[in-house]
Amino acid sequence: MGAQQVADRFAELYGAGPEGVWAAPGRVNLIGEHTDYNDGFVMPFALPHQALAAVSRRTDGVLRLHSADIEGGVVQLRLDALAPGTDQDWTAYPAGVVWALREAGHEITGADVHLASTVPTGAGLSSSAALEVVIALALNDLYGLDLERWRLARLCQRAENVYVGAPTGIMDQTASACCEQGHALFLDTRDLSQRQIPFDLAAEGLRLLVVDTQVKHAHSGGEYGKRRAGCEKGAALLGVDALRDIPYDGLDEALARLGDEEEVVRLVRHVVTEDERVERTVALLRAGDPRAIGPVLTEGHASLRDDFRVSCPELDLVVDTALAHGALGARMTGGGFGGSAIVLAEAADVDTLTKAVEEAFATAGHAAPRTFEAVPAPGARRLV
């Protein structure tokens, strides 16, 4: 799928060519799960899979949306009727961005939009964030808003939190907007400071595989919200603004103070140790030792499985099978309850690992997984 194809379809739908075509990628999170809404550290990188948007401005207060990936015709919405909770369809994501920009005081007078995406939906690879960011970047350029990338990410997060009603953190939108090719993004979600960490596994004879279990997940479901509420309860009980403020070397003392709050203890332990794992991963990569991050990834999966309890049998099967067949490390990635796992492996072991996972899924009676190599790609950008 290319920019010209998207532009041509736009012209068929709306009778004239678009003013431009933009792209925003999905992401895979290397390490740092469920830390972003706790003011912690994350380390995603952009995928080659991306959402494309052909867009033109309108002046009549109308937003027209069409997706190549959803059956149906053009959806027409009035800007003055956009409000949180009014849209439960896919259109809530692009419409929510328009709403968030207007709520922030930016004069958006309408748009015609045609979208197409190669980011797998429900796979924990931020298909919704890619959709939000590509719209935000297009409108930022077309309307001359001159908003920095991190501000666009914030507005997209607000669209998802308030308009869509999904209580996600800031990682996904920032990754889509700000990642750079060949790098992982070390992001402090408290102050949004960023550091691009070189991440070229191929040069080291390594590969990072993404295994999509085909088990769909949804951030707007209740279990994600429960985890976030539990983390906020833990911070309140410990008298801190966010779990980011609990030092790793003070974790045991903090957990003791929580007493018999068993669920909160588990959530707090995961977040504090996960922040430490992100910092450890950054140090190892900066030291030129990417193989050493394998055990850190595996530690992260155990914590997500046992403490945060957001894994599922299919994700556990990927991790256990990969490790049993020579993987250097593996873990679930994304919010959990389905989606994808990542596997760090020697290049020579990829075919063996992939076949072993496929056979394990077949034996267990699961749908066949989809496996592909993750290579750090560019962040959001204008194509035409």
Side-chain angles (χ1 to χ4, degrees), residues 33-34 37 223-224 227 267 270 303-312 315-316 332 334-338:
E33 221 65 79
H34 290 277
Y37 55 80
E223 290 301 315
Y224 186 99
R227 302 306 190 280
L267 298 178
H270 166 73
S303 183
L304 288 159
R305 180 192 64 211
D306 301 336
D307 276 345
F308 226 71
R309 300 187 181 180
V310 292
S311 190
C312 67
L315 288 167
D316 293 341
M332 57 155 282
F337 313 108

Side-chain angles (χ1 to χ4, degrees), residues 10-34:
F10 180 99
E12 292 174 8
L13 289 164
Y14 299 117
E19 292 185 78
V21 179
W22 290 258
R27 65 96 188 97
V28 65
N29 193 23
L30 182 64
I31 192 76
E33 221 65 79
H34 290 277

Side-chain angles (χ1 to χ4, degrees), residues 59-137:
T59 59
D60 58 357
V62 169
L63 175 65
R64 294 198 294 181
L65 301 167
H66 184 268
S67 171
D69 310 304
I70 306 292
E71 288 188 14
V74 173
V75 177
Q76 182 166 309
L77 304 169
R78 288 212 55 84
L79 299 190
D80 55 14
L82 299 180
T86 59
D87 190 349
Q88 302 300 315
D89 208 346
W90 70 269
T91 51
Y93 294 98
V97 172
V98 176
W99 170 84
L101 284 166
R102 285 165 55 86
E103 282 287 297
H106 302 293
E107 188 175 351
I108 307 296
T109 57
D112 286 337
V113 179
H114 171 60
L115 292 153
S117 179
T118 59
V119 186
T121 58
L125 303 175
S126 298
S127 58
S128 60
L131 195 59
E132 293 158 357
V133 170
V134 76
I135 295 297
L137 184 61

Side-chain angles (χ1 to χ4, degrees), residues 4-366:
Q4 190 60 53
Q5 182 180 351
V6 174
D8 290 346
R9 180 60 176 139
F10 180 99
E12 292 174 8
L13 289 164
Y14 299 117
E19 292 185 78
V21 179
W22 290 258
R27 65 96 188 97
V28 65
N29 193 23
L30 182 64
I31 192 76
E33 221 65 79
H34 290 277
T35 51
D36 58 347
Y37 55 80
N38 289 291
D39 282 2
F41 304 121
V42 295
M43 199 173 185
F45 62 88
L47 289 169
H49 307 73
Q50 58 190 1
L52 271 64
V55 185
S56 287
R57 289 168 290 182
R58 297 179 65 92
T59 59
D60 58 357
V62 169
L63 175 65
R64 294 198 294 181
L65 301 167
H66 184 268
S67 171
D69 310 304
I70 306 292
E71 288 188 14
V74 173
V75 177
Q76 182 166 309
L77 304 169
R78 288 212 55 84
L79 299 190
D80 55 14
L82 299 180
T86 59
D87 190 349
Q88 302 300 315
D89 208 346
W90 70 269
T91 51
Y93 294 98
V97 172
V98 176
W99 170 84
L101 284 166
R102 285 165 55 86
E103 282 287 297
H106 302 293
E107 188 175 351
I108 307 296
T109 57
D112 286 337
V113 179
H114 171 60
L115 292 153
S117 179
T118 59
V119 186
T121 58
L125 303 175
S126 298
S127 58
S128 60
L131 195 59
E132 293 158 357
V133 170
V134 76
I135 295 297
L137 184 61
L139 296 178
N140 186 56
D141 288 352
L142 289 176
Y143 282 94
L145 305 181
D146 295 323
L147 296 172
E148 302 99 320
R149 294 299 182 95
W150 69 267
R151 291 191 186 277
L152 292 178
R154 276 288 192 212
L155 286 165
C156 290
Q157 182 199 16
R158 176 166 169 76
E160 186 147 351
N161 289 171
V162 180
Y163 196 91
V164 178
T168 56
I170 189 64
M171 174 181 66
D172 296 350
Q173 293 84 1
T174 305
S176 186
C178 301
C179 278
E180 294 182 4
Q181 186 167 0
H183 293 75
L185 176 66
F186 177 37
L187 173 67
D188 182 334
T189 65
R190 169 163 283 171
D191 62 12
L192 296 188
S193 59
Q194 303 175 20
R195 191 187 312 167
Q196 301 286 345
I197 307 297
F199 192 58
D200 184 1
L201 294 180
E204 302 291 334
L206 299 172
R207 298 291 186 272
L208 189 74
L209 304 178
V210 175
V211 183
D212 178 2
T213 65
Q214 307 286 353
V215 178
K216 302 301 182 183
H217 81 145
H219 276 159
S220 54
E223 290 301 315
Y224 186 99
K226 287 180 183 177
R227 302 306 190 280
R228 181 164 186 166
C231 290
E232 292 169 353
K233 180 180 179 181
L237 290 172
L238 293 168
V240 294
D241 291 336
L243 295 183
R244 150 74 174 276
D245 297 313
I246 304 300
Y248 179 71
D249 58 9
L251 177 58
D252 289 343
E253 177 188 354
L255 297 182
R257 287 167 55 198
L258 292 171
D260 60 359
E261 293 277 358
E262 179 185 351
E263 182 178 1
V264 176
V265 165
R266 288 190 288 99
L267 298 178
V268 171
R269 183 166 53 220
H270 166 73
V271 172
V272 176
T273 58
E274 186 79 346
D275 273 336
E276 187 274 339
R277 282 186 285 272
V278 177
E279 293 185 289
R280 208 181 339 152
T281 298
V282 171
L284 290 168
L285 289 176
R286 288 174 64 85
D289 194 6
R291 283 173 175 80
I293 73 172
V296 186
L297 303 182
T298 305
E299 286 176 30
H301 183 76
S303 183
L304 288 159
R305 180 192 64 211
D306 301 336
D307 276 345
F308 226 71
R309 300 187 181 180
V310 292
S311 190
C312 67
E314 292 85 353
L315 288 167
D316 293 341
L317 184 59
V318 174
V319 171
D320 294 343
T321 303
L323 293 173
H325 288 81
L328 299 173
R331 75 171 190 92
M332 57 155 282
T333 187
F337 313 108
S340 300
I342 55 174
V343 177
L344 179 67
E346 301 287 351
D349 295 335
V350 166
D351 290 344
T352 300
L353 286 168
T354 301
K355 183 178 179 181
V357 171
E358 291 172 349
E359 290 177 348
F361 268 56
T363 299
H366 301 319

